[in-house]
């Protein structure tokens, strides 16, 4: 564990950051110096993930800072409350890993980072689509091995293809309808000359619809017409496994499916069955429903025990990245800035600037 402070004064507000990577430390160290009184805060960094076995590390801290694969359930929050931790700040816009009801009961405040760099995620989704379409991963491997054949690398023109964007992002705090990530994705695909059909539970005209030139459609119609489906949904009770056997059966044969949102949106077994039956022509995943054990760790010399995940890795028409869609310099800068704003606000007003809305957490 490392600290950004040399002089650990007793009156400093102490924060323990779990699941820290070097890029986190660099961005937070830099942004902390932008505060008017940086010495008021002491951030200690730990590479350790927050679990029931590591929560004890939070003793003597007023706040903890966590990421998407840290566990913050009822048991852990009870321990945090015993230790006197009254603020949990997330370096993400997702809070599915936090038992917000327990936090509310114990008056532990939650802060998050809404819309930190939505274009980064949308760009990554488009990149996955293009890599799948033009078989970039296979072409790269061949050339590295001295094989310059192009057999089996035929793709298709993006122009005039139909793209389904599933982008109902209720958690986005700056829009009321189609979420920011979804809007960037639409803009990118429209730039390729694609026709875009978007899913939202409202289908009336809106300003973003006029500006970006797309149509709101029901899921069934998107499944039936889309050549490409890009998922940008939140994970909640309504959307869990929204991509399942039934929905895959309704899709066009050869559809390209990309998910840069949450792993739990896709039923992995149904996805594999769709690949086997060649109903799905290609899959790009930046997230996986059981990723917590593997992502952000080095398993290159270890056995992947998750049979479904291991099977996905064998398909030539599947590209998997390890939850890196957000990972740009601009995103890291925004995450650090907003997280520190949440911490500073708590020390002044007793609450974070950006907190989950009650209607969002109740879903």
């Amino acid at each position: 564990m490392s600290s950004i402070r040399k002089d650990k004064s007793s009156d400093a507000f102490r924060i323990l950051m779990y699941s820290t990577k070097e890029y986190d430390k660099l961005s937070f160290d830099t942004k902390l110096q932008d505060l008017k009184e940086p010495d008021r805060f002491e951030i200690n960094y730990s590479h350790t993930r927050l679990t029931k076995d590591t929560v004890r590390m939070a003793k003597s801290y007023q706040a903890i800072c966590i990421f998407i694969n840290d566990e913050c359930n009822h048991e852990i929050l009870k321990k945090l409350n015993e230790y006197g931790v009254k603020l949990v700040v997330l370096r993400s816009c997702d809070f599915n890993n936090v038992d917000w009801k327990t936090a509310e009961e114990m008056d532990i405040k939650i802060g998050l980072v809404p819309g930190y760099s939505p274009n980064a995620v949308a760009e990554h989704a488009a990149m996955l689509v293009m890599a799948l379409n033009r078989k970039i991963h296979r072409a790269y491997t061949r050339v590295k091995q001295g094989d310059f054949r192009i057999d089996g690398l035929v793709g298709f023109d993006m122009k005039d293809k139909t793209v389904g964007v599933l982008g109902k992002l209720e958690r986005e705090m700056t829009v009321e309808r189609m979420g920011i990530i979804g809007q960037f994705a639409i803009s990118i695909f429209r730039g390729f000359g694609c026709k875009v059909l978007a899913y939202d539970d409202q289908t009336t005209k809106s300003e973003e619809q006029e500006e970006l030139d797309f149509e709101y459609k029901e899921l069934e119609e998107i499944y039936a017409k889309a050549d490409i489906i890009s998922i940008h949904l939140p994970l909640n009770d309504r959307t869990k496994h929204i991509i399942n056997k039934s929905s895959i059966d309704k899709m066009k044969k050869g559809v390209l499916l990309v998910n840069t949102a949450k792993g739990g949106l896709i039923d992995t077994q149904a996805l594999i069955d769709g690949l086997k039956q060649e109903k799905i022509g290609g899959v790009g995943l930046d997230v996986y429903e059981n990723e917590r054990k593997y992502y952000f760790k080095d398993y290159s010399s270890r056995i992947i025990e998750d049979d479904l995940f291991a099977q996905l890795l064998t398909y030539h028409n599947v590209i998997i990245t390890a939850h890196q869609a957000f990972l740009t310099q601009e995103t890291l800068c925004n995450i650090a800035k907003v997280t520190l704003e949440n911490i500073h606000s708590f020390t002044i007003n007793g609450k974070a600037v950006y907190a989950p809305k009650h209607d969002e957490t109740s879903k």
Side-chain angles (χ1 to χ4, degrees):
M1 184 184 294
S2 61
S3 170
I4 63 167
R5 287 176 55 92
K6 303 298 183 183
D7 55 328
K8 298 184 178 181
S9 59
S10 59
D11 59 345
F13 188 83
R14 305 189 72 225
I15 306 107
L16 173 62
M17 184 181 294
Y18 284 94
S19 298
T20 306
K21 303 300 181 186
E22 287 306 310
Y23 50 75
D24 293 313
K25 186 177 184 302
L26 178 61
S27 59
F28 273 81
D29 282 357
T30 301
K31 279 297 175 184
L32 187 66
Q33 300 310 312
D34 293 339
L35 297 179
K36 291 182 178 179
E37 300 176 85
D39 289 343
R40 289 184 55 216
F41 304 94
E42 177 188 323
I43 302 179
N44 283 284
Y45 301 100
S46 171
H47 297 299
T48 306
R49 186 167 66 90
L50 175 60
T51 67
K52 62 182 178 61
D53 297 320
T54 63
V55 65
R56 64 182 182 277
M57 295 169 58
K59 290 181 179 179
S60 79
Y61 290 91
Q62 287 84 36
I64 63 169
C65 182
I66 64 175
F67 198 46
I68 51 178
N69 285 334
D70 289 304
E71 299 174 33
C72 201
N73 55 31
H74 175 80
E75 179 184 357
I76 289 172
L77 282 164
K78 282 184 65 178
K79 285 293 183 182
L80 291 174
N81 188 52
E82 290 176 14
Y83 300 153
V85 173
K86 286 301 177 183
L87 175 67
V88 175
V89 282
L90 293 94
R91 305 191 300 279
S92 66
C93 55
D94 296 304
F95 49 90
N96 302 91
N97 54 333
V98 178
D99 183 343
W100 69 272
K101 289 184 178 179
T102 298
E104 195 173 57
E105 291 170 3
M106 297 181 176
D107 197 29
I108 296 176
K109 303 303 181 184
I110 307 296
L112 45 76
V113 184
Y116 38 77
S117 189
N119 51 295
V121 179
E123 289 166 5
H124 194 83
M127 179 277 300
L128 287 173
V129 169
M130 293 304 296
L132 285 168
N133 174 25
R134 303 306 297 269
K135 284 69 171 182
I136 299 301
H137 55 304
R138 298 178 68 192
Y140 173 80
T141 301
R142 284 189 190 180
V143 171
K144 289 285 285 185
Q145 296 172 346
D147 182 352
F148 302 101
R149 293 173 299 165
I150 60 173
D151 307 75
L153 302 182
V154 179
F156 55 77
D157 287 357
M158 291 289 288
K159 186 177 184 298
D160 296 327
K161 293 299 183 292
T162 298
V163 179
V165 175
L166 313 187
K168 177 90 170 61
L169 299 182
E170 303 101 321
R171 65 168 178 255
E172 294 289 357
M173 296 185 178
T174 53
V175 291
E176 297 177 355
R177 296 282 309 286
M178 173 61 64
I180 292 180
I181 297 175
Q183 289 183 34
F184 273 106
I186 290 171
S187 179
I188 292 170
F189 289 123
R190 286 293 296 130
F192 282 122
C194 300
K195 177 181 180 181
V196 177
L197 308 178
Y199 169 71
D200 197 321
D201 64 355
Q202 302 181 50
T203 54
T204 56
K205 278 282 186 181
S206 63
E207 290 183 9
E208 65 265 21
Q209 186 178 358
E210 293 278 5
E211 181 180 348
L212 298 175
D213 189 21
F214 66 93
E215 300 177 53
Y216 281 117
K217 295 294 181 182
E218 296 299 327
L219 283 173
E220 286 71 18
E221 186 170 352
I222 292 177
Y223 293 150
K225 293 183 177 180
D227 302 293
I228 300 160
I229 295 177
S230 188
I231 307 172
H232 306 282
L233 291 161
L235 180 63
N236 53 44
D237 292 340
R238 299 199 313 273
T239 61
K240 182 175 174 60
H241 285 180
I242 193 171
I243 303 299
N244 51 49
K245 182 183 186 303
S246 176
S247 57
I248 290 172
D249 287 344
K250 297 172 185 175
M251 294 178 188
K252 290 180 68 171
K253 183 176 176 60
V255 64
L256 297 187
L257 184 64
V258 168
N259 183 12
T260 55
K262 298 294 289 184
L265 297 168
I266 296 180
D267 181 335
T268 306
Q269 184 60 65
L271 182 69
I272 290 173
D273 292 341
L275 285 163
K276 285 181 178 178
Q277 298 159 10
E278 298 185 353
K279 180 75 172 183
I280 299 175
V283 174
L285 301 176
D286 188 55
V287 289
Y288 172 63
E289 61 180 330
N290 299 313
E291 70 181 51
R292 179 174 290 173
K293 180 177 180 179
Y294 302 103
Y295 279 21
F296 311 120
K297 302 173 185 175
D298 182 2
Y299 263 76
S300 58
S301 301
R302 301 166 67 180
I303 300 297
I304 294 179
E305 299 173 346
D306 186 324
D307 291 341
L308 292 180
F309 191 39
Q311 190 172 353
L312 277 176
L313 291 170
T314 67
Y315 286 94
H316 70 81
N317 56 345
V318 173
I319 299 177
I320 298 177
T321 54
H323 212 133
Q324 70 176 74
F326 76 98
L327 194 60
T328 66
Q329 294 176 355
E330 292 82 0
T331 294
L332 294 174
C333 178
N334 289 336
I335 288 174
K337 177 178 179 293
V338 174
T339 301
L340 289 171
E341 286 175 358
N342 281 331
I343 294 170
H344 183 264
S345 174
F346 177 81
T347 63
I348 302 299
N349 305 312
K351 60 182 180 180
V353 178
Y354 302 101
K357 295 178 181 178
H358 183 76
D359 61 341
E360 291 173 341
T361 52
S362 62
K363 290 168 184 172

